[in-house]
Amino acid sequence: MKKPVKKIITYVKQISLTTNQLLLLTCGYLTLVLNIPFLMKMASAITTLDNYSVLFLLSLPILLLSLIIIIQGILSFRWVTKPILITTVLCSSLIFYGTMTYGIVFDYGMVQNTIETDTAEAFSYVNLYAVLFFTLFGVIPSLIIYTVQLTYKPFFKELLTRVKLIGLSLVTVLLIGFFFYSNYAAVGRNNKELIGYIIPYKMVDASFKFVRNHYFYPPLDFKVLDTAPSIVRDNNRKHVTVMVLGETARAQSFSLNGYKKPTNQYTDKQGVVSFSNMSSCGTATAVSVPCMFSRLDKNNYDKRVATAQQNAVDIIHLAGADVLWISNNNGSCKGVCTRVKTQQIDTNKSNPLCDGEYCYDEALLKPLREKLGNLTQENTLIVLHMIGSHGPTYFKRYPKDKRVFTPDCQRSDIQNCSEEQLVNTYDNTIAYTDLVLSKIINQLSQLADKENIETSLLYISDHGESLGESGVYLHGLPYAFAPTEQTHIPMLYWTDPMQTDFDLGCLSSLAKSPITHDNVFDTLLSIMSVKTKVYDIEKDPFIQCKSQSAIARVNMPTPLEIKRED
C-alpha cells in the first residue's frame, strides 16, 4: 500500500506548472466538482422552462468557470497562489460536505449560527463519513496543489499572462451575457435563492458582512423602551410562569397536533392547549431566540438593533418580577438573558444525567424545584432553555431507557441511517421533551395546590428541523425558501385551575389560528400581567380569551376596540 502512495507522491512532485495552469486546474475543480450542488439546481431550474435552449444550459458551467477564474486570478498571484488556492479548496470542501449531506446553504444566518456554535456542538458533526469526505474532496486536492512545482516567469511577463487570462474570462462572461442575458435574468428572478449555493463565494460574502456588522460598526446606544413598567394583579396570590424555550422541535412531530405516533402521551393528559399553527422568526437559534423576545418583528428584525434595546425579559424584570434563566443549551441565550440572573446546568459526569458535554433535559428539574421552593417575590418568571431535539446527534438527547420508538439511529451521520431509524430517533427526542414538560407541569401543579400560588407554563420552540425531506437535513436554510419543517413549530400553554385571567376553553377554540414568534413578546407580557407602553394589544393572541378585568388592569389609556367572538 505504501509503495503506490510513494509512487503517486513522486509523480506529483515531478509535475511542473505555471501559476496560470495551476489556477485553471483548481478553478476547474471548484467549478465542476465542488459546485455540483449549484450546477445541478441551476440545471434543474433551466430544464423546467418551456423550450429552454441547450446552448443556454451548456453556457452555465462556462460562465461559472470564467467568474471563478476572475475572482481567483485577482487573489492568487506568484508566491501566494498556493496558499490562496489551498484555503479556497479546503473551505469549499467543507461547504460542499454541508450542502451535499444536509442541504445547508451558507448564507449570513448560517455564518452567524456557525460562529456562535460552541465546541461541543461543532464536534457533534464530526464522524467517520465527514472525515473521509473532507479528506477526499479537500485534503487530497490541497496536498496535490501543495506538492506540484510552480515555475515563475519574470514579474511583468507573469502579470501580463494573468491579465490576458482574466481578460479572456471577462470577455467570455460578456459574450454569454450578450447572448443569454434574458435567460439568466428570468431564471435568476424566479430562483433568487440559488446564488446561495455558489461555493465558496456566498459564504465569503456573508462572512465579510458578519464581521463588518459585528466588529467594525460602532455599538449602538442602549435604548430603554419603557422606564416604568409595572405588574398589576387583582388578587393576593403569588404568580409563577415557567417559559420553556424548546430547541429544534417541529410542530408536525407532535401528536397534540395530529401526528400519528404518540409523542405527547404525557402532556396530552394534562390539559395543555397546543397552538398548532405557529411559525418561527428564523431557522436557527442565533436568529430565532433574540427575535422572539424582541419588540422588533420578523420583517424588521436586526440583531444589532435588538441587542441594543430592552427585550421582553428585561421589561418583565424591570416591572418587578424575579426573573431567572436556566440553560441546558450550552449557556447560550443569544444575548437575551444578559441583564437577568442566569444559571447554567453543569455538564460534569458526576451528574448521572450528563456525559461531560451535554445533559438530558431532566437536569433542568432540580434547579427548577429549588427555585420554586424559594420564591422571593410576588411574581416570578423562570425561563428553561432546553437542549431539546438538537441534532445531528439526536440519540444523545434522551436516555436509553426512554427509547419509545425503535429501531433508532445511534450515530451522527444521520444521512446514512434509514428513514425509519432517523424519524424514530427524532420522535424519541420529542417524546422525551414531552416527559420533561409533564414533570414541570407536575411541579407547578403541586406548588399551586400546596402553596395557593398561581402557576402557568408556556412552551415554544426556536425553530424546526428537516429529516431528509427533499434531501434536506437539520435546519438553517434561508427563510425565504426554507421548508415548513424548519419554520412550523410547536407552542403549548398550561395553567392551573385557579387562574382567572384566561378562559382555557376559549384558548382551545383559537388553537388553530395563525401566530408567530412576533406574538411572543406581547404574550409573555400578557401572561405576566405587565402594564407597559410597549405592549401591543393587537399582537396578543390571548387577548380574545382574556377577562375584561385583566385587560383593564394592564391596558394603557389609548382606546382600542377589542373584538370578541360570541
Side-chain angles (χ1 to χ4, degrees):
M1 183 67 182
K2 291 182 179 180
K3 288 184 178 180
V5 173
K6 285 184 178 180
K7 287 183 178 179
I8 293 172
I9 293 174
T10 303
Y11 175 76
V12 173
K13 283 183 177 180
Q14 293 175 348
I15 297 175
S16 179
L17 301 173
T18 66
T19 54
N20 277 358
Q21 289 173 332
L22 181 60
L23 177 67
L24 281 169
L25 290 171
T26 306
C27 290
Y29 177 67
L30 288 168
T31 302
L32 300 176
V33 178
L34 299 185
N35 267 289
I36 285 177
F38 171 73
L39 293 175
M40 290 177 63
K41 289 183 178 295
M42 275 293 292
S44 178
I46 291 172
T47 53
T48 56
L49 298 174
D50 295 332
N51 301 318
Y52 73 90
S53 168
V54 175
L55 291 177
F56 171 43
L57 181 62
L58 293 175
S59 74
L60 176 61
I62 299 173
L63 175 64
L64 182 60
L65 175 62
S66 300
L67 291 172
I68 291 178
I69 289 173
I70 293 171
I71 296 170
Q72 295 299 141
I74 293 172
L75 298 174
S76 311
F77 189 69
R78 293 181 75 81
W79 300 287
V80 299
T81 299
K82 284 188 176 182
I84 293 292
L85 294 181
I86 289 172
T87 301
T88 303
V89 168
L90 289 175
C91 290
S92 298
S93 63
L94 288 173
I95 301 171
F96 183 51
Y97 170 76
T99 304
M100 290 293 290
T101 306
Y102 302 120
I104 292 173
V105 176
F106 283 82
D107 64 343
Y108 187 93
M110 183 55 67
V111 169
Q112 177 180 334
N113 205 40
T114 301
I115 291 176
E116 295 182 5
T117 295
D118 64 19
T119 304
E121 183 177 340
F123 275 106
S124 69
Y125 292 88
V126 178
N127 50 65
L128 180 60
Y129 178 80
V131 172
L132 291 175
F133 194 105
F134 179 60
T135 301
L136 178 62
F137 291 100
V139 176
I140 293 177
S142 296
L143 286 175
I144 293 173
I145 294 172
Y146 176 78
T147 305
V148 297
Q149 297 183 38
L150 281 185
T151 58
Y152 302 105
K153 297 178 182 179
F155 181 83
F156 287 106
K157 282 189 176 182
E158 186 151 334
L159 179 62
L160 180 60
T161 57
R162 180 59 55 83
V163 170
K164 288 180 179 179
L165 178 61
I166 294 174
L168 179 61
S169 300
L170 184 59
V171 170
T172 302
V173 171
L174 293 174
L175 285 173
I176 292 175
F178 178 79
F179 288 106
F180 301 109
Y181 173 78
S182 59
N183 304 80
Y184 279 104
V187 173
R189 278 195 301 269
N190 296 322
N191 302 274
K192 293 180 180 179
E193 73 279 2
L194 293 185
I195 194 172
Y197 288 93
I198 299 179
I199 298 174
Y201 305 106
K202 181 62 179 178
M203 187 204 71
V204 172
D205 174 67
S207 300
F208 170 79
K209 290 177 180 177
F210 180 86
V211 171
R212 179 197 63 190
N213 293 348
H214 286 74
Y215 301 106
F216 289 94
Y217 280 174
L220 297 174
D221 293 333
F222 190 80
K223 183 178 181 180
V224 177
L225 301 179
D226 190 350
T227 58
S230 59
I231 294 178
V232 186
R233 295 189 180 276
D234 60 1
N235 58 55
N236 296 322
R237 290 193 297 267
K238 286 185 177 181
H239 175 90
V240 176
T241 288
V242 174
M243 179 182 180
V244 182
L245 181 54
E247 172 68 49
T248 321
R250 60 188 209 170
Q252 54 265 56
S253 296
F254 275 52
S255 56
L256 287 169
N257 297 331
Y259 188 51
K260 62 182 180 180
K261 293 161 73 173
T263 53
N264 299 113
Q265 59 179 316
Y266 298 101
T267 57
D268 188 36
K269 303 170 185 175
Q270 293 177 306
V272 301
V273 178
S274 177
F275 293 84
S276 60
N277 198 4
M278 176 78 169
S279 298
S280 66
C281 180
T283 61
T285 306
V287 175
S288 287
V289 170
C291 180
M292 79 167 80
F293 287 95
S294 170
R295 177 69 284 179
L296 303 175
D297 292 343
K298 174 184 176 298
N299 292 334
N300 61 2
Y301 173 75
D302 182 295
K303 185 176 182 181
R304 185 165 172 263
V305 176
T307 304
Q309 65 181 28
Q310 288 174 306
N311 56 48
V313 171
D314 295 323
I315 296 291
I316 293 169
H317 179 52
L318 186 60
D322 182 14
V323 179
L324 174 63
W325 187 293
I326 306 175
S327 179
N328 189 37
N329 198 286
N330 301 317
S332 179
C333 66
K334 306 305 180 185
V336 176
C337 63
T338 303
R339 292 167 290 277
V340 298
K341 289 182 292 185
T342 61
Q343 184 176 342
Q344 172 64 35
I345 299 296
D346 188 355
T347 60
N348 193 288
K349 289 183 179 179
S350 59
N351 187 336
L353 293 169
C354 306
D355 64 4
E357 291 184 344
Y358 295 105
C359 296
Y360 299 126
D361 279 324
E362 282 180 281
L364 291 164
L365 299 176
K366 181 181 178 181
L368 173 63
R369 187 180 303 109
E370 292 172 349
K371 181 60 182 175
L372 294 179
N374 184 33
L375 299 174
T376 58
Q377 292 177 230
E378 294 300 308
N379 296 281
T380 303
L381 172 65
I382 304 168
V383 181
L384 303 178
H385 194 177
M386 289 181 146
I387 192 67
S389 303
H390 199 292
T393 50
Y394 304 120
F395 67 96
K396 291 186 177 181
R397 305 295 167 246
Y398 54 92
K400 289 185 178 180
D401 62 350
K402 299 298 190 298
R403 296 166 68 187
V404 181
F405 309 107
T406 55
D408 56 357
C409 175
Q410 296 284 314
R411 54 197 296 179
S412 63
D413 53 336
I414 54 177
Q415 71 282 359
N416 292 321
C417 295
S418 70
E419 180 182 355
E420 180 189 17
Q421 290 174 322
L422 177 56
V423 173
N424 280 343
T425 310
Y426 183 82
D427 288 346
N428 281 334
T429 69
I430 301 298
Y432 182 64
T433 291
D434 189 68
L435 172 65
V436 176
L437 291 177
S438 174
K439 290 187 175 184
I440 294 171
I441 290 174
N442 287 339
Q443 286 193 29
L444 294 176
S445 294
Q446 292 174 12
L447 186 69
D449 293 340
K450 295 180 179 179
E451 305 293 337
N452 195 32
I453 295 175
E454 190 175 291
T455 61
S456 62
L457 174 141
L458 179 68
Y459 168 82
I460 304 173
S461 183
D462 56 354
H463 53 77
E465 187 85 330
S466 291
L467 298 177
E469 297 89 356
S470 302
V472 179
Y473 295 85
L474 302 176
H475 54 267
L477 281 180
Y479 202 96
F481 62 96
T484 56
E485 289 83 8
Q486 295 187 25
T487 60
H488 185 200
I489 57 171
M491 171 173 159
L492 308 179
Y493 180 69
W494 172 92
T495 186
D496 70 80
M498 74 174 64
Q499 73 83 28
T500 57
D501 280 3
F502 301 105
D503 182 341
L504 287 184
C506 175
L507 286 176
S508 296
S509 70
L510 297 176
K512 294 183 180 180
S513 301
I515 53 177
T516 73
H517 273 164
D518 290 348
N519 301 109
V520 173
F521 187 97
D522 300 288
T523 300
L524 271 176
L525 296 180
S526 183
I527 293 172
M528 293 297 297
S529 293
V530 176
K531 186 173 184 177
T532 170
K533 65 182 181 181
V534 294
Y535 168 69
D536 188 344
I537 198 170
E538 295 180 350
K539 292 184 178 179
D540 180 2
F542 286 16
I543 195 64
Q544 294 188 55
C545 302
K546 199 167 188 179
S547 68
Q548 290 288 357
S549 62
I551 295 173
R553 291 199 314 268
V554 300
N555 200 23
M556 298 302 283
T558 305
L560 289 171
E561 181 180 352
I562 309 302
K563 296 181 180 179
R564 290 180 172 273
E565 294 182 358
D566 295 333

